[in-house]
Amino acid sequence: MMKLSATFAVLAGFIPYALGQAQEWGQCGGIGWTGATTCVSGTTCVVVNSYYSQCQPGTATSTTSTTTTASTTPSSTAGLNTLAKAAGKLYFGSATDNPELSDSAYVTILSNSKEFGQITPGNSMKWDATEPTRGTFTFTNGDVIANLAKTNGQLLRGHNCVWHNQLPSWVSSGSFTAADLTTVIQNHCGTVVGHYKGQVYSWDVVNEPFNDDGTWRSDVFYNTLNTTYVSIALQAARAADPNAKLYINDYNIENSGAKATAMLNLVKQLIADGVPIDGVGFQCHFIVGSVPTSFQTVLEQFTALGLEVAITELDIRMTLPETDALLAQQAKDYQSVVQACMNVEKCVGITIWDYTDKYSWVPSTFSGQGAACPWDSNLTIKPAYNGIVAALS
């Protein structure tokens, strides 16, 4: 199917009303459309997105299009993962977390592999959850999500091995020699990745190593080992599961600038040094109306190195309360972000950072902001869903 933009200029002048019926593949509806809203015999008026409906071959005869705005009616019933795979991507997925798995209505949607072909555990594979005391590992909650993905036939992304946040105090406040911390990292990454060997498609081995100005983040790992902690973690992960894709994951690297350049220079050096690195994850925690304009260009800079890339934690928040205008802009923003991935062959998939506002991390982190997900708190789709469909179709 042809790709269609969901962004149309406001009709400022007089547009003559097109008499008769729209021809096959012609427009038959959408916001601002004043032409024919019925299709010739043998075609059906199909809503592609809120701004464009099209006469597509089908068994129905003349069908009238509706031109509702900000609708909660899906513009496609195929499912986001089905559309993504049909377009050549590996998956469209969602993050999740253990507490919400007690919500059966939520789990039913999450488990629909037509919508989601991949799951990321939000917290249960992080350091504080898996090795709360040195050398004592627990995988109970991580296994729950791994088993859910396996049952549903969904891919699993591991998240994460080494991160400055959510560390148990024995790590974050530890007084380590370089040799001792090297052993700690090797043991942690090797044990966690090894536990899920054969179950995980890709691992966020190193998470958020940079400050926004492109300098290295100061934490126990960098302060003790300088930049070498990255290669130590990646090598340990590769040894533990040779088939898992190894990623470095970060935010605010989606736009050209100091942080994106720092990440690019890091992966270039890793490749030159023969350190295993397969991909870079772009978190994409954006704000409505402020998505980066150079995202596709940045993605292509990384894929030009032979790496794959992925959108790993996508959500687009707004200042509350929601309005129709904000929801419509959010739909356009979701479309443009997903479209950037669609335009880059080695962008392998998209993960939203939970699919519903009901369990979004945004309101508790950004005061007065929220409504960041494609499903609302009642597990009903929002216009954002149709924005994603438009990019995937």
Side-chain angles (χ1 to χ4, degrees), residues 209-296:
F210 294 112
N211 295 311
D212 281 346
D213 63 0
T215 60
W216 283 81
R217 190 183 295 275
S218 178
D219 59 19
V220 64
F221 306 112
Y222 179 78
N223 295 345
T224 307
L225 292 165
N226 203 272
T227 63
T228 62
Y229 80 88
V230 174
S231 59
I232 292 166
L234 288 165
Q235 289 164 341
R238 173 65 86 231
D241 188 352
N243 295 320
K245 300 284 188 179
L246 308 183
Y247 274 62
I248 301 175
N249 189 53
D250 215 329
Y251 63 92
N252 287 351
I253 58 171
E254 299 89 1
N255 220 349
S256 298
K259 194 171 187 179
T261 299
M263 181 66 78
L264 192 68
N265 289 337
L266 170 59
V267 296
K268 284 180 178 178
Q269 190 62 54
L270 293 171
I271 292 168
D273 292 344
V275 177
I277 176 71
D278 300 302
V280 173
F282 294 76
Q283 293 184 13
C284 297
H285 295 298
F286 294 143
I287 299 171
V288 167
S290 301
V291 299
T293 56
S294 57
F295 186 29
Q296 181 178 332

Side-chain angles (χ1 to χ4, degrees), residues 74-87:
S75 56
S76 171
T77 57
L80 301 180
N81 184 55
T82 299
L83 292 172
K85 292 181 71 173

Side-chain angles (χ1 to χ4, degrees), residues 65-78:
S65 166
T66 58
T67 57
T68 56
T69 59
S71 168
T72 56
T73 301
S75 56
S76 171
T77 57

Side-chain angles (χ1 to χ4, degrees), residues 72-74 94-96 100-112 115-116 322 352 354-360 373-383 385:
T72 56
T73 301
S94 176
T96 191
E100 55 220 52
L101 298 181
S102 60
D103 182 340
S104 60
Y106 166 88
V107 173
T108 296
I109 296 173
L110 179 70
S111 299
N112 181 357
E115 294 286 8
F116 305 116
E322 299 176 33
I352 47 182
D354 223 318
Y355 70 86
T356 169
D357 295 336
K358 186 174 184 179
Y359 298 115
S360 172
C373 303
W375 276 256
D376 68 17
S377 294
N378 296 316
L379 307 183
T380 300
I381 69 162
K382 295 157 58 178
Y385 180 98

Side-chain angles (χ1 to χ4, degrees), residues 1 19 26 38-39 48 50 54 146 163 170 184 200 222 266 310 366:
M1 182 184 294
L19 298 176
T38 60
C39 298
V48 177
S50 297
Q54 183 183 55
W163 186 33
W170 72 266
V184 167
V200 170
Y222 179 78
L266 170 59
F366 300 96

Side-chain angles (χ1 to χ4, degrees), residues 278-317:
D278 300 302
V280 173
F282 294 76
Q283 293 184 13
C284 297
H285 295 298
F286 294 143
I287 299 171
V288 167
S290 301
V291 299
T293 56
S294 57
F295 186 29
Q296 181 178 332
T297 299
V298 173
L299 291 175
E300 290 169 340
Q301 290 176 328
F302 286 88
T303 60
L305 302 177
L307 300 175
E308 65 179 47
V309 293
I311 295 173
T312 55
E313 304 183 17
L314 174 61
D315 51 33
I316 306 178
R317 64 187 184 270

Side-chain angles (χ1 to χ4, degrees), residues 135-154:
T136 301
F137 289 86
T138 176
F139 298 106
T140 302
N141 286 339
D143 288 351
V144 168
I145 293 177
N147 290 334
L148 178 66
K150 183 178 181 180
T151 298
N152 296 335
Q154 295 163 316

